Amino acid sequence: MGNRFQVRDRFADGAQYIDGKLRSGTSGRSHTVVDPATGEEVLTYELASTADVDEAVAAAKRAFPAWSGATPGERSDALHRLAAVLAEQAADFAYAESLQCGKPIKLSTEFDVPGTIDNTAFFAGAARHLQGQAAAEYSGDHTSYVRREAIGVVGSVAPWNYPLQMAAWKILPAIAAGNTIVLKPAELTPLTSLMFAQAAKDAGLPDGVINIVTGAGRDAGEHLVGHPDVVMTSFTGSTAVGKRVAEIATATVKRLHLELGGKAPFLVFDDADLEAAAHGAVAASLINTGQDCTAATRAYVQRPLHDAFVARVAELMETVRLGDPFASATDLGPLVSHAQRDRVAGFVERARGYATVVTGGEAPGGELTAGAYYRPTLITGAAQDSEVVQSEIFGPVLVVLPFDSDDEGIALANDTPYGLAASAWSRDLYRANRATREIKAGCVWVNDHIPIISEMPHGGYKASGFGKDMSAYSFEEYTQVKHVMYDNTAVAAKDWHRTIFGDR
């Protein structure tokens, strides 16, 4: 990477972005961003206090009247300029994302950053399309139409696995619709969220429209979600924390969007293309080192293909290259932290007591010892009700189980509390269509697993939450629907009044 910028210089003024300026937090507590590939310090910063959150919300509230009053075309133009700034700074964004997360640079460069630029361009277009029901005389005596209006200050919380993309997924639909926002990124990975806000200023967006507070979840996060001037909250993270967010938001009657955990099934029927399914399983289980709520985690393979599938997946996993995230040949980087690596290893070690670890199941050691690395891991022989099948591991671990009938395969796919994403692999159109109808998940891919696009919604069923990211469906969630009704008769004593007082 020839364009590496100095992180400490970039954030010398602090890791809070409030009313158009970087500043330091006032909690009196610091946090260190660590490069998970080396264990080395990247940036130490002061965490946000509740007072910092109050200032950020106040800034967003001040900015709201002018921003919501801008024309859709003006907001669209601003987002188009933001997309151009992001494209100009793409190398810096990719570097910072890989540095704080441990993502291979090829993933940051070819997925995270261009996906965010495309999302920005999409919502620049969406800003001009606030759809409402056509004006008409539905009662006969009145003309009705629907307005879509901005709702106010949005307070959102983003996770550490895709810091840049998740920040964009929260910010873009909110501001495209005319809202202002305060975003709390994960303490582990604040760099690209802050850079996104700075890029928005470079693009000419007004101060206060986008604010970033980097603080602890129990302090800054909970205060933001419960703030009386925040009218909507969007949270992406674990189901357990999502329940806490829902409790706080419900107490103040906020609009709520939750994108929570996942345990995506990968359903392989016996007529599937084995080579395609095996390659798909390796890519879908190892993307972002498995730290993806839509990653393939449970492969159900119809018994005639099961053994060949296991053998081929193991063979492919053993070709995956672990290494320096900034080396172009690296396929798999470290997990986001040593604590996360140890959590994943704990799942695998406990599984050895009731299942078989076919490949992987260990840290690589050697020159990678200092990093939070873990080898791609394949497990077989686990029971459906076992921990590795039911719980979200969030690491490079794939569990393979056999099934016999199509009915059984679909039932097993649905047999977890989650319902975010799934895939079905078959050459039979009717078989695949049945799977797409009957699998309870917000997204079901057929003969692929993982691709996302800005035009289509992302969100879950069941314990995976509710609400959508990306797409026009997401955009609409950040608007209020108002019914406007005009009397067309000019009659003072209307006939319906007689149902309340007087006689006909």
Side-chain angles (χ1 to χ4, degrees):
M1 289 288 291
N3 194 27
R4 297 188 183 189
F5 62 89
Q6 295 300 312
V7 171
R8 294 181 194 181
D9 292 344
R10 180 71 173 260
F11 301 108
D13 293 330
Q16 317 301 324
Y17 189 85
I18 299 173
D19 206 14
K21 297 180 180 65
L22 278 176
R23 45 167 281 187
S24 186
T26 62
S27 69
R29 292 179 292 116
S30 63
H31 185 85
T32 299
V33 177
V34 174
D35 177 354
T38 63
E40 296 175 356
E41 175 190 347
V42 172
L43 176 72
T44 296
Y45 65 92
E46 298 298 314
L47 291 164
S49 66
T50 56
D52 297 325
V53 173
D54 290 340
E55 289 191 36
V57 172
K61 188 176 181 180
R62 288 192 301 271
F64 176 73
W67 182 248
S68 62
T71 66
E74 289 168 337
R75 292 196 295 271
S76 176
D77 288 347
L79 290 178
H80 278 301
R81 293 195 302 271
L82 175 55
V85 171
L86 294 172
E88 291 169 3
Q89 299 177 8
D92 282 353
F93 274 97
Y95 170 71
E97 195 77 336
S98 288
L99 184 65
Q100 67 182 350
C101 300
K103 295 174 187 283
I105 193 64
K106 67 179 180 180
L107 183 65
S108 295
T109 301
E110 299 179 29
F111 180 71
D112 296 72
V113 174
T116 300
I117 296 169
D118 185 72
N119 242 250
T120 306
F122 172 83
F123 281 108
R128 291 178 177 265
H129 295 283
L130 289 166
Q131 299 295 330
Q133 195 165 357
E137 288 68 50
Y138 295 100
S139 77
D141 293 335
H142 307 81
T143 296
S144 287
Y145 70 90
V146 168
R147 288 177 56 87
R148 283 196 174 270
E149 298 178 348
I151 59 178
V153 178
V154 178
S156 295
V157 180
W160 48 255
N161 59 332
Y162 289 102
L164 175 60
Q165 285 195 312
M166 296 297 101
W169 287 11
K170 305 295 184 201
I171 292 169
L172 292 169
I175 66 173
N179 304 292
T180 55
I181 188 168
V182 179
L183 175 78
K184 193 200 89 65
E187 306 96 296
L188 289 172
T189 55
L191 304 183
T192 46
S193 297
L194 293 163
M195 291 169 62
F196 189 92
Q198 291 176 304
K201 185 179 179 75
D202 293 344
L205 273 75
D207 292 347
V209 172
I210 301 172
N211 304 274
I212 310 293
V213 289
T214 308
R218 291 188 180 276
D219 300 324
E222 292 198 2
H223 190 65
L224 175 61
V225 172
H227 199 288
D229 288 334
V230 168
V231 296
M232 175 180 175
T233 191
S234 175
F235 170 80
T236 297
S238 71
T239 298
V241 177
K243 290 177 181 178
R244 175 61 180 156
V245 170
E247 290 173 2
I248 298 169
T250 300
T252 49
V253 198
K254 298 187 193 308
R255 187 177 297 196
L256 183 61
H257 167 210
L258 297 174
E259 200 263 86
L260 307 177
K263 192 69 178 174
F266 187 100
L267 187 61
V268 182
F269 294 102
D270 58 13
D271 67 331
D273 181 324
L274 176 62
E275 195 67 8
H279 278 82
V282 173
S285 62
L286 300 184
I287 185 171
N288 203 36
T289 318
Q291 299 165 125
D292 186 312
C293 47
T294 62
T297 59
R298 302 176 289 141
Y300 296 101
V301 184
Q302 209 151 25
R303 206 170 294 275
L305 281 187
H306 176 271
D307 291 353
F309 178 88
V310 169
R312 186 61 175 136
V313 168
E315 182 180 40
L316 290 171
M317 279 188 170
E318 289 164 6
T319 70
V320 172
R321 298 163 296 186
L322 282 69
D324 175 5
F326 293 102
S328 60
T330 294
D331 297 321
L332 198 73
L335 286 103
V336 75
S337 67
H338 287 80
Q340 180 64 15
R341 191 269 309 277
D342 293 346
R343 179 181 180 274
V344 171
F347 276 100
V348 176
E349 290 310 306
R350 291 189 295 275
R352 293 184 192 277
Y354 56 79
T356 300
V357 177
V358 177
T359 190
E362 62 183 3
E367 62 183 18
L368 302 179
T369 299
Y373 289 89
Y374 199 75
R375 292 194 185 282
T377 300
L378 181 64
I379 296 175
T380 61
Q384 176 66 15
D385 62 356
S386 63
E387 181 186 49
V388 290
V389 175
Q390 293 293 322
S391 298
E392 188 172 32
I393 298 172
F394 229 54
V397 180
L398 178 65
V399 184
V400 182
L401 300 89
F403 70 93
D404 292 303
S405 69
D406 290 14
D407 289 348
E408 181 190 13
I410 292 172
L412 289 170
N414 285 328
D415 184 29
T416 72
Y418 302 106
L420 186 57
S423 63
W425 297 74
S426 174
R427 290 183 173 96
D428 186 320
L429 174 65
Y430 297 99
R431 212 175 198 182
N433 276 345
R434 180 192 173 189
T436 65
R437 291 193 306 272
E438 296 185 14
I439 292 176
K440 305 303 180 189
C443 175
V444 181
W445 293 282
V446 176
N447 294 328
D448 208 344
H449 191 119
I450 283 296
I452 54 173
I453 48 173
S454 297
E455 292 82 359
M456 287 291 115
H458 174 85
Y461 285 24
K462 304 189 295 184
S464 292
F466 49 82
K468 300 299 179 185
D469 288 311
M470 301 192 297
S471 81
Y473 296 97
S474 171
F475 184 50
E476 290 177 357
E477 291 190 21
Y478 289 87
T479 65
Q480 290 274 28
V481 174
K482 178 184 286 185
H483 171 214
V484 178
M485 195 176 204
Y486 287 91
D487 170 60
N488 292 329
T489 66
V491 173
K494 294 180 171 54
D495 187 57
W496 75 264
H497 294 172
R498 305 287 74 78
T499 63
I500 311 302
F501 69 99
D503 300 318
R504 293 189 187 280

